[in-house]
PDB file of all heavy atoms in Angstrom:
ATOM      1  N   LYS L 250      29.518  72.327  65.001  1.00 81.00           N
ATOM      2  CA  LYS L 250      29.272  71.571  66.251  1.00 81.00           C
ATOM      3  C   LYS L 250      28.063  72.030  67.024  1.00 81.00           C
ATOM      4  O   LYS L 250      27.606  71.291  67.892  1.00 81.00           O
ATOM      5  CB  LYS L 250      30.535  71.716  67.139  1.00 81.00           C
ATOM      6  CG  LYS L 250      31.681  70.828  66.697  1.00 81.00           C
ATOM      7  CD  LYS L 250      32.774  70.839  67.759  1.00 81.00           C
ATOM      8  CE  LYS L 250      34.068  70.314  67.161  1.00 81.00           C
ATOM      9  NZ  LYS L 250      35.239  70.724  67.905  1.00 81.00           N
ATOM     10  N   ASP L 251      27.516  73.196  66.741  1.00 77.00           N
ATOM     11  CA  ASP L 251      26.305  73.667  67.394  1.00 77.00           C
ATOM     12  C   ASP L 251      26.275  73.547  68.890  1.00 77.00           C
ATOM     13  O   ASP L 251      25.339  73.087  69.474  1.00 77.00           O
ATOM     14  CB  ASP L 251      25.111  72.831  66.833  1.00 77.00           C
ATOM     15  CG  ASP L 251      24.546  73.420  65.566  1.00 77.00           C
ATOM     16  OD1 ASP L 251      25.014  74.491  65.195  1.00 77.00           O
ATOM     17  OD2 ASP L 251      23.708  72.741  64.983  1.00 77.00           O
ATOM     18  N   GLY L 252      27.420  73.883  69.547  1.00 83.00           N
ATOM     19  CA  GLY L 252      27.448  73.871  70.995  1.00 83.00           C
ATOM     20  C   GLY L 252      27.870  72.582  71.622  1.00 83.00           C
ATOM     21  O   GLY L 252      28.138  72.488  72.802  1.00 83.00           O
ATOM     22  N   TYR L 253      27.894  71.445  70.827  1.00 91.00           N
ATOM     23  CA  TYR L 253      28.409  70.224  71.389  1.00 91.00           C
ATOM     24  C   TYR L 253      29.911  70.248  71.491  1.00 91.00           C
ATOM     25  O   TYR L 253      30.561  70.892  70.648  1.00 91.00           O
ATOM     26  CB  TYR L 253      27.995  69.035  70.489  1.00 91.00           C
ATOM     27  CG  TYR L 253      26.536  68.680  70.632  1.00 91.00           C
ATOM     28  CD1 TYR L 253      25.593  69.274  69.793  1.00 91.00           C
ATOM     29  CD2 TYR L 253      26.159  67.718  71.552  1.00 91.00           C
ATOM     30  CE1 TYR L 253      24.218  68.927  69.920  1.00 91.00           C
ATOM     31  CE2 TYR L 253      24.826  67.344  71.608  1.00 91.00           C
ATOM     32  CZ  TYR L 253      23.867  67.973  70.813  1.00 91.00           C
ATOM     33  OH  TYR L 253      22.527  67.650  70.979  1.00 91.00           O
ATOM     34  N   GLU L 254      30.468  69.525  72.427  1.00 92.00           N
ATOM     35  CA  GLU L 254      31.937  69.506  72.531  1.00 92.00           C
ATOM     36  C   GLU L 254      32.603  68.872  71.337  1.00 92.00           C
ATOM     37  O   GLU L 254      33.719  69.272  71.003  1.00 92.00           O
ATOM     38  CB  GLU L 254      32.277  68.639  73.797  1.00 92.00           C
ATOM     39  CG  GLU L 254      32.836  69.534  74.906  1.00 92.00           C
ATOM     40  CD  GLU L 254      33.218  68.669  76.077  1.00 92.00           C
ATOM     41  OE1 GLU L 254      34.303  68.090  76.084  1.00 92.00           O
ATOM     42  OE2 GLU L 254      32.398  68.537  77.005  1.00 92.00           O
ATOM     43  N   ASP L 255      31.944  67.859  70.738  1.00 93.00           N
ATOM     44  CA  ASP L 255      32.584  67.173  69.651  1.00 93.00           C
ATOM     45  C   ASP L 255      31.506  66.839  68.599  1.00 93.00           C
ATOM     46  O   ASP L 255      30.340  66.693  68.918  1.00 93.00           O
ATOM     47  CB  ASP L 255      33.210  65.840  70.118  1.00 93.00           C
ATOM     48  CG  ASP L 255      34.135  66.010  71.274  1.00 93.00           C
ATOM     49  OD1 ASP L 255      35.292  66.346  70.966  1.00 93.00           O
ATOM     50  OD2 ASP L 255      33.703  65.907  72.410  1.00 93.00           O
ATOM     51  N   PHE L 256      31.961  66.650  67.408  1.00 93.00           N
ATOM     52  CA  PHE L 256      31.027  66.265  66.327  1.00 93.00           C
ATOM     53  C   PHE L 256      30.407  64.864  66.624  1.00 93.00           C
ATOM     54  O   PHE L 256      29.210  64.708  66.402  1.00 93.00           O
ATOM     55  CB  PHE L 256      31.691  66.169  64.972  1.00 93.00           C
ATOM     56  CG  PHE L 256      31.821  67.528  64.349  1.00 93.00           C
ATOM     57  CD1 PHE L 256      33.106  68.166  64.164  1.00 93.00           C
ATOM     58  CD2 PHE L 256      30.677  68.193  63.861  1.00 93.00           C
ATOM     59  CE1 PHE L 256      33.217  69.370  63.532  1.00 93.00           C
ATOM     60  CE2 PHE L 256      30.815  69.420  63.205  1.00 93.00           C
ATOM     61  CZ  PHE L 256      32.062  69.975  63.048  1.00 93.00           C
ATOM     62  N   MET L 257      31.210  64.003  67.224  1.00 96.00           N
ATOM     63  CA  MET L 257      30.667  62.619  67.427  1.00 96.00           C
ATOM     64  C   MET L 257      29.441  62.698  68.370  1.00 96.00           C
ATOM     65  O   MET L 257      28.431  62.076  68.179  1.00 96.00           O
ATOM     66  CB  MET L 257      31.735  61.717  68.046  1.00 96.00           C
ATOM     67  CG  MET L 257      31.215  60.331  68.241  1.00 96.00           C
ATOM     68  SD  MET L 257      32.474  59.186  68.811  1.00 96.00           S
ATOM     69  CE  MET L 257      31.512  57.702  69.078  1.00 96.00           C
ATOM     70  N   LEU L 258      29.562  63.508  69.438  1.00 96.00           N
ATOM     71  CA  LEU L 258      28.528  63.623  70.417  1.00 96.00           C
ATOM     72  C   LEU L 258      27.290  64.211  69.715  1.00 96.00           C
ATOM     73  O   LEU L 258      26.121  63.720  69.869  1.00 96.00           O
ATOM     74  CB  LEU L 258      28.902  64.424  71.645  1.00 96.00           C
ATOM     75  CG  LEU L 258      27.910  64.324  72.795  1.00 96.00           C
ATOM     76  CD1 LEU L 258      27.794  62.969  73.347  1.00 96.00           C
ATOM     77  CD2 LEU L 258      28.329  65.339  73.911  1.00 96.00           C
ATOM     78  N   LYS L 259      27.520  65.253  68.937  1.00 94.00           N
ATOM     79  CA  LYS L 259      26.410  65.880  68.214  1.00 94.00           C
ATOM     80  C   LYS L 259      25.701  64.848  67.322  1.00 94.00           C
ATOM     81  O   LYS L 259      24.477  64.798  67.274  1.00 94.00           O
ATOM     82  CB  LYS L 259      26.954  67.051  67.396  1.00 94.00           C
ATOM     83  CG  LYS L 259      25.900  67.728  66.542  1.00 94.00           C
ATOM     84  CD  LYS L 259      26.528  68.815  65.689  1.00 94.00           C
ATOM     85  CE  LYS L 259      25.491  69.440  64.776  1.00 94.00           C
ATOM     86  NZ  LYS L 259      25.895  69.446  63.401  1.00 94.00           N
ATOM     87  N   GLU L 260      26.549  64.086  66.624  1.00 95.00           N
ATOM     88  CA  GLU L 260      25.956  63.118  65.691  1.00 95.00           C
ATOM     89  C   GLU L 260      25.217  61.984  66.373  1.00 95.00           C
ATOM     90  O   GLU L 260      24.216  61.559  65.860  1.00 95.00           O
ATOM     91  CB  GLU L 260      27.065  62.627  64.702  1.00 95.00           C
ATOM     92  CG  GLU L 260      27.485  63.804  63.782  1.00 95.00           C
ATOM     93  CD  GLU L 260      28.839  63.623  63.176  1.00 95.00           C
ATOM     94  OE1 GLU L 260      29.495  62.574  63.314  1.00 95.00           O
ATOM     95  OE2 GLU L 260      29.307  64.611  62.509  1.00 95.00           O
ATOM     96  N   ILE L 261      25.721  61.640  67.593  1.00 97.00           N
ATOM     97  CA  ILE L 261      24.940  60.618  68.352  1.00 97.00           C
ATOM     98  C   ILE L 261      23.573  61.187  68.656  1.00 97.00           C
ATOM     99  O   ILE L 261      22.497  60.525  68.532  1.00 97.00           O
ATOM    100  CB  ILE L 261      25.693  60.259  69.650  1.00 97.00           C
ATOM    101  CG1 ILE L 261      26.951  59.490  69.270  1.00 97.00           C
ATOM    102  CG2 ILE L 261      24.839  59.474  70.628  1.00 97.00           C
ATOM    103  CD1 ILE L 261      27.885  59.196  70.511  1.00 97.00           C
ATOM    104  N   TYR L 262      23.499  62.487  69.058  1.00 95.00           N
ATOM    105  CA  TYR L 262      22.218  63.051  69.425  1.00 95.00           C
ATOM    106  C   TYR L 262      21.331  63.471  68.208  1.00 95.00           C
ATOM    107  O   TYR L 262      20.180  63.709  68.387  1.00 95.00           O
ATOM    108  CB  TYR L 262      22.487  64.315  70.314  1.00 95.00           C
ATOM    109  CG  TYR L 262      22.653  63.874  71.747  1.00 95.00           C
ATOM    110  CD1 TYR L 262      23.911  63.599  72.239  1.00 95.00           C
ATOM    111  CD2 TYR L 262      21.575  63.698  72.600  1.00 95.00           C
ATOM    112  CE1 TYR L 262      24.125  63.125  73.570  1.00 95.00           C
ATOM    113  CE2 TYR L 262      21.751  63.252  73.915  1.00 95.00           C
ATOM    114  CZ  TYR L 262      23.026  62.952  74.385  1.00 95.00           C
ATOM    115  OH  TYR L 262      23.188  62.529  75.651  1.00 95.00           O
ATOM    116  N   GLU L 263      21.926  63.429  67.081  1.00 94.00           N
ATOM    117  CA  GLU L 263      21.151  63.669  65.836  1.00 94.00           C
ATOM    118  C   GLU L 263      20.371  62.463  65.336  1.00 94.00           C
ATOM    119  O   GLU L 263      19.693  62.536  64.336  1.00 94.00           O
ATOM    120  CB  GLU L 263      22.023  64.230  64.697  1.00 94.00           C
ATOM    121  CG  GLU L 263      22.396  65.698  64.914  1.00 94.00           C
ATOM    122  CD  GLU L 263      23.420  66.164  63.895  1.00 94.00           C
ATOM    123  OE1 GLU L 263      24.125  65.329  63.245  1.00 94.00           O
ATOM    124  OE2 GLU L 263      23.594  67.413  63.737  1.00 94.00           O
ATOM    125  N   GLN L 264      20.577  61.301  66.018  1.00 95.00           N
ATOM    126  CA  GLN L 264      20.031  60.085  65.475  1.00 95.00           C
ATOM    127  C   GLN L 264      18.520  60.075  65.355  1.00 95.00           C
ATOM    128  O   GLN L 264      18.030  59.557  64.329  1.00 95.00           O
ATOM    129  CB  GLN L 264      20.576  58.861  66.215  1.00 95.00           C
ATOM    130  CG  GLN L 264      22.085  58.729  65.870  1.00 95.00           C
ATOM    131  CD  GLN L 264      22.783  57.577  66.535  1.00 95.00           C
ATOM    132  OE1 GLN L 264      23.089  56.593  65.873  1.00 95.00           O
ATOM    133  NE2 GLN L 264      23.053  57.676  67.834  1.00 95.00           N
ATOM    134  N   PRO L 265      17.724  60.633  66.308  1.00 93.00           N
ATOM    135  CA  PRO L 265      16.295  60.634  66.072  1.00 93.00           C
ATOM    136  C   PRO L 265      15.892  61.327  64.760  1.00 93.00           C
ATOM    137  O   PRO L 265      15.102  60.816  64.002  1.00 93.00           O
ATOM    138  CB  PRO L 265      15.754  61.372  67.309  1.00 93.00           C
ATOM    139  CG  PRO L 265      16.774  61.225  68.332  1.00 93.00           C
ATOM    140  CD  PRO L 265      18.144  61.226  67.590  1.00 93.00           C
ATOM    141  N   THR L 266      16.571  62.478  64.495  1.00 90.00           N
ATOM    142  CA  THR L 266      16.231  63.185  63.262  1.00 90.00           C
ATOM    143  C   THR L 266      16.716  62.405  62.047  1.00 90.00           C
ATOM    144  O   THR L 266      16.036  62.298  61.054  1.00 90.00           O
ATOM    145  CB  THR L 266      16.980  64.576  63.267  1.00 90.00           C
ATOM    146  OG1 THR L 266      16.671  65.180  64.542  1.00 90.00           O
ATOM    147  CG2 THR L 266      16.512  65.462  62.137  1.00 90.00           C
ATOM    148  N   ALA L 267      17.915  61.831  62.110  1.00 92.00           N
ATOM    149  CA  ALA L 267      18.498  61.113  61.012  1.00 92.00           C
ATOM    150  C   ALA L 267      17.562  59.973  60.595  1.00 92.00           C
ATOM    151  O   ALA L 267      17.299  59.691  59.449  1.00 92.00           O
ATOM    152  CB  ALA L 267      19.859  60.634  61.368  1.00 92.00           C
ATOM    153  N   ILE L 268      17.061  59.297  61.634  1.00 94.00           N
ATOM    154  CA  ILE L 268      16.185  58.122  61.360  1.00 94.00           C
ATOM    155  C   ILE L 268      14.860  58.596  60.779  1.00 94.00           C
ATOM    156  O   ILE L 268      14.343  58.029  59.778  1.00 94.00           O
ATOM    157  CB  ILE L 268      15.952  57.261  62.661  1.00 94.00           C
ATOM    158  CG1 ILE L 268      17.286  56.676  63.162  1.00 94.00           C
ATOM    159  CG2 ILE L 268      14.904  56.219  62.475  1.00 94.00           C
ATOM    160  CD1 ILE L 268      17.925  55.679  62.243  1.00 94.00           C
ATOM    161  N   ARG L 269      14.272  59.689  61.373  1.00 90.00           N
ATOM    162  CA  ARG L 269      13.050  60.211  60.806  1.00 90.00           C
ATOM    163  C   ARG L 269      13.235  60.582  59.320  1.00 90.00           C
ATOM    164  O   ARG L 269      12.394  60.232  58.487  1.00 90.00           O
ATOM    165  CB  ARG L 269      12.664  61.506  61.549  1.00 90.00           C
ATOM    166  CG  ARG L 269      11.561  61.266  62.530  1.00 90.00           C
ATOM    167  CD  ARG L 269      11.042  62.559  63.172  1.00 90.00           C
ATOM    168  NE  ARG L 269      10.822  62.307  64.538  1.00 90.00           N
ATOM    169  CZ  ARG L 269      11.603  62.745  65.555  1.00 90.00           C
ATOM    170  NH1 ARG L 269      12.671  63.470  65.308  1.00 90.00           N
ATOM    171  NH2 ARG L 269      11.324  62.408  66.805  1.00 90.00           N
ATOM    172  N   GLU L 270      14.378  61.282  59.030  1.00 88.00           N
ATOM    173  CA  GLU L 270      14.592  61.702  57.656  1.00 88.00           C
ATOM    174  C   GLU L 270      14.808  60.522  56.754  1.00 88.00           C
ATOM    175  O   GLU L 270      14.375  60.542  55.586  1.00 88.00           O
ATOM    176  CB  GLU L 270      15.835  62.609  57.589  1.00 88.00           C
ATOM    177  CG  GLU L 270      15.707  63.863  58.364  1.00 88.00           C
ATOM    178  CD  GLU L 270      14.798  64.904  57.605  1.00 88.00           C
ATOM    179  OE1 GLU L 270      14.883  64.933  56.372  1.00 88.00           O
ATOM    180  OE2 GLU L 270      14.066  65.613  58.336  1.00 88.00           O
ATOM    181  N   THR L 271      15.469  59.455  57.233  1.00 92.00           N
ATOM    182  CA  THR L 271      15.721  58.335  56.381  1.00 92.00           C
ATOM    183  C   THR L 271      14.407  57.567  56.115  1.00 92.00           C
ATOM    184  O   THR L 271      14.162  57.094  54.997  1.00 92.00           O
ATOM    185  CB  THR L 271      16.750  57.416  57.037  1.00 92.00           C
ATOM    186  OG1 THR L 271      17.943  58.218  57.165  1.00 92.00           O
ATOM    187  CG2 THR L 271      17.093  56.212  56.245  1.00 92.00           C
ATOM    188  N   ILE L 272      13.570  57.503  57.105  1.00 91.00           N
ATOM    189  CA  ILE L 272      12.233  56.849  56.879  1.00 91.00           C
ATOM    190  C   ILE L 272      11.439  57.674  55.863  1.00 91.00           C
ATOM    191  O   ILE L 272      10.840  57.147  54.889  1.00 91.00           O
ATOM    192  CB  ILE L 272      11.431  56.730  58.216  1.00 91.00           C
ATOM    193  CG1 ILE L 272      12.126  55.862  59.196  1.00 91.00           C
ATOM    194  CG2 ILE L 272      10.055  56.163  57.923  1.00 91.00           C
ATOM    195  CD1 ILE L 272      11.540  55.903  60.645  1.00 91.00           C
ATOM    196  N   GLY L 273      11.523  59.032  56.033  1.00 87.00           N
ATOM    197  CA  GLY L 273      10.897  59.929  55.080  1.00 87.00           C
ATOM    198  C   GLY L 273       9.471  59.524  54.756  1.00 87.00           C
ATOM    199  O   GLY L 273       8.678  59.200  55.635  1.00 87.00           O
ATOM    200  N   SER L 274       9.266  59.500  53.439  1.00 80.00           N
ATOM    201  CA  SER L 274       7.865  59.160  53.045  1.00 80.00           C
ATOM    202  C   SER L 274       7.830  57.699  52.538  1.00 80.00           C
ATOM    203  O   SER L 274       6.852  57.302  51.826  1.00 80.00           O
ATOM    204  CB  SER L 274       7.387  60.109  51.954  1.00 80.00           C
ATOM    205  OG  SER L 274       8.334  60.048  50.933  1.00 80.00           O
TER     206      SER L 274
END
Side-chain angles (χ1 to χ4, degrees):
K250 282 190 197 158
D251 275 352
Y253 284 90
E254 250 181 83
D255 305 277
F256 278 111
M257 182 176 176
L258 192 62
K259 175 181 177 236
E260 289 159 8
I261 290 174
Y262 278 90
E263 281 173 345
Q264 291 180 106
T266 311
I268 295 296
R269 257 187 220 104
E270 295 286 322
T271 299
I272 299 169
S274 56

